[in-house]
Amino acid sequence: MTTKNPEAPGPGVRTLACAGHRLVLDRTRVMGILNLTPDSFSDGGRWLERDAAVEHALAMQEAGADIIDVGGESTRPGAQTITVQQELDRVLPVIETLAQQLSVPLSIDTGKPEVMRAAVAAGAGMINDVYALRQDGALQAAVEIGVPVCLMHMLGNPRVMQNAPVYDDVAGEVTAFLLERAALCESNGIARENIVLDPGFGFGKTLEQNITLFRAIPDIAAMGYPLLVGVSRKSMLGQLTGRQTGDRVAASVAAAVLAAQMGAAIVRVHDVGETRDALEVATALWQGWA
Ligand code: 7PM
C-alpha cells in the first residue's frame, strides 16, 4: 500500500530542519525581524518591552511570517558590541516564551557561541550569523548545535564596515567568501543541507556595490545553497528613494519581490504582511500557482 503524505515536499524541494519545525523552500519564505536591541525597545530587558516583543512576533506570524529572527545585538553601522550576559538577558526570555507560543520556527541573530547555544536550548531552530561563524568558538558551537546556519558576508565589522569599502569585483569577492565559509563549515561537520548563504546587503558596501551585488543574486543562488536576502528598510533604499526608515515599506517590498524572482529562498523583512501579499501576487502572475 502506498500512502502519500500531503505535508511532504516534492522532489528537489530543499527543506531546512529547524529543531522540530520544517522550513520548506518550495516558495520564497518570509523571515520576520524581531529586533530586541535598545534601538527599538529601550533597554530590551524590562517586562513591558518583553511583552511588546512577544506581541509583535505573534502579529508577524499572523501576518504570514514563515520564521521569526530574534536579535539582541545591534549591527548598525558604528554600533558598539555588548556582553554575552547583556545579549542573553535580552533574547532568552523572549525566545523561551515564543518557542511555546509560535507554530513557526525562530532563528537567533547572533555571532556569539554562548548565545547560539542558549538560544537553541531555549527553542530557536536556526542560527543567523552576520559574522559567518568567524567569532571565537562560533563554528564549533554551530557544529555541535546542529541546526541550520545562515552565513552572511560582511566586510570588516559593524564599527568600521561603512568606511569607504573597496572591492575589485564585489559580487565575485562576496561569492568567494561565502563559498569558502560554507566549505569550512562542511569540512567541520555541518551538513550541506543546513547551510544558507547571504550576501549581506549594507554590510560594508556602498550603494553602487549593493546594486551590483543585487544584480548578481541569480549567480549567487546558482551556487546551490539557499540564499537569504535582507534589504528591508536599509539605507540603500533610503538613498534610492530619499525616504526615512519608516517610509521605506514600498521600496522594501519591491526589493523583496525582485530578490524572490531572482532566486532568493528567504527574504528577511520588517513588513511581513505587505511582503507576503506582494510575493503571493508576483508568484501567481509570474509562475501561476498550483
Ligand atoms: C541597524 C542597522 C539595525 C542594520 C539593524 C540592521 C541582516 C541580518 C541584519 C541581513 C542577515 C537590519 C540590520 N541585517 N542578518 N541582520 N542578513 N542574515 O537592517 O541582511 O536588519 S541587522
Side-chain angles (χ1 to χ4, degrees):
M1 190 178 85
T2 56
T3 53
K4 211 168 171 186
N5 174 4
E7 300 283 304
V13 174
R14 297 172 301 194
T15 299
L16 300 173
C18 298
H21 299 269
R22 290 186 325 158
L23 196 55
V24 181
L25 303 178
D26 54 349
R27 58 173 173 82
T28 301
R29 295 289 169 173
V30 175
M31 171 182 275
I33 300 170
L34 188 66
N35 186 356
L36 304 181
T37 64
D39 306 340
S40 58
F41 296 96
S42 66
D43 78 354
R46 305 211 323 258
W47 280 111
L48 268 173
E49 289 155 356
R50 282 178 198 173
D51 288 351
V54 168
E55 286 307 315
H56 185 56
L58 293 169
M60 287 195 288
Q61 172 175 271
E62 191 64 26
D66 298 299
I67 181 167
I68 307 270
D69 188 43
V70 181
E73 174 173 30
S74 178
T75 45
R76 179 181 296 282
Q80 297 297 314
T81 54
I82 57 169
T83 66
V84 170
Q85 195 55 53
Q86 282 173 311
E87 195 172 331
L88 289 172
D89 289 345
R90 284 182 197 167
V91 300
L92 275 191
V94 173
I95 290 173
E96 282 163 3
T97 305
L98 287 176
Q100 307 297 317
Q101 296 195 21
L102 290 175
S103 55
V104 298
L106 292 160
S107 63
I108 175 68
D109 185 346
T110 190
K112 295 187 179 76
E114 302 89 343
V115 178
M116 294 171 185
R117 291 182 202 276
V120 174
M126 181 171 168
I127 295 165
N128 172 28
D129 184 4
V130 302
Y131 295 93
L133 306 177
R134 283 179 292 168
Q135 309 220 106
D136 283 348
L139 176 56
Q140 193 52 36
V143 169
E144 290 166 19
I145 295 165
V147 300
V149 293
C150 178
L151 307 171
M152 198 196 78
H153 176 272
M154 166 165 52
L155 188 70
N157 60 58
R159 204 164 44 77
V160 301
M161 65 187 178
Q162 289 306 100
N163 301 347
V166 176
Y167 303 84
D168 283 331
D169 165 12
V170 63
E173 289 169 41
V174 167
T175 304
F177 169 85
L178 293 174
L179 292 178
E180 193 182 294
R181 295 306 298 173
L184 185 69
C185 286
E186 287 170 44
S187 69
N188 278 273
I190 296 179
R192 189 181 180 85
E193 306 75 56
N194 273 350
I195 297 174
V196 175
L197 303 181
D198 183 341
F201 290 98
F203 286 85
K205 287 108 183 165
T206 63
L207 174 60
E208 193 190 355
Q209 291 159 353
N210 281 312
I211 291 171
T212 302
L213 194 55
F214 199 95
R215 290 178 183 165
I217 286 172
D219 306 315
I220 307 175
M223 298 297 120
Y225 298 90
L227 202 65
L228 191 154
V229 167
V231 288
S232 184
R233 300 187 185 178
K234 282 187 179 172
S235 82
M236 60 184 282
L237 303 180
Q239 291 171 277
L240 289 170
T241 59
R243 297 192 185 280
Q244 296 302 309
T245 323
D247 296 324
R248 296 175 189 163
V249 180
S252 300
V253 170
V257 167
L258 271 173
Q261 299 295 58
M262 293 164 81
I266 304 171
V267 287
R268 182 179 177 277
V269 306
H270 298 86
D271 304 292
V272 170
E274 292 86 345
T275 306
R276 268 304 289 263
D277 280 1
L279 288 175
E280 299 287 354
V281 171
T283 303
L285 297 183
W286 186 262
Q287 304 179 326
W289 31 251

